[in-house]
Amino acid sequence: MTGVENQSHPDHWYEIRLQGHLDQRWSAWFDGMQLAHLDDGTTVVQGEVADQTALHGLLERIRDLGLPLISVVAVDRD
């Protein structure tokens, strides 16, 4: 593929920021990812995602729940 590097990256960590505070019980809904409530009234869902397909699945869940999505950021664990 032109212009695309094929990088093997065993761990895909993401921080997904949502408007509002979600209860910790939602962690199971997000495949056991960690939920953190921030003082600005947002929730950060963070953790490992197997691949892009799994990431899109999480984003579909967020959409289906009607949760306002603020951002999705890939996190470098190093």
Side-chain angles (χ1 to χ4, degrees), residues 23-36:
D23 191 273
Q24 289 297 324
R25 66 184 172 88
W26 286 100
S27 180
W29 185 261
F30 293 107
D31 297 328
M33 297 177 78
Q34 298 295 315
L35 302 181

Side-chain angles (χ1 to χ4, degrees), residues 16-27 30 34-45 65-70:
I16 302 170
R17 187 176 301 253
L18 307 171
Q19 185 62 46
H21 286 167
L22 296 180
D23 191 273
Q24 289 297 324
R25 66 184 172 88
W26 286 100
S27 180
F30 293 107
Q34 298 295 315
L35 302 181
H37 297 151
L38 302 183
D39 291 337
D40 64 359
T42 62
T43 297
V44 175
V45 180
L65 290 170
L67 300 173
L69 177 66
I70 296 173

Side-chain angles (χ1 to χ4, degrees), residues 34-66:
Q34 298 295 315
L35 302 181
H37 297 151
L38 302 183
D39 291 337
D40 64 359
T42 62
T43 297
V44 175
V45 180
Q46 58 187 359
E48 184 176 5
V49 178
D51 54 25
Q52 287 292 301
T53 302
L55 176 61
H56 283 268
L58 286 171
L59 295 175
E60 287 174 4
R61 289 179 191 173
I62 291 168
R63 179 202 63 208
D64 292 348
L65 290 170

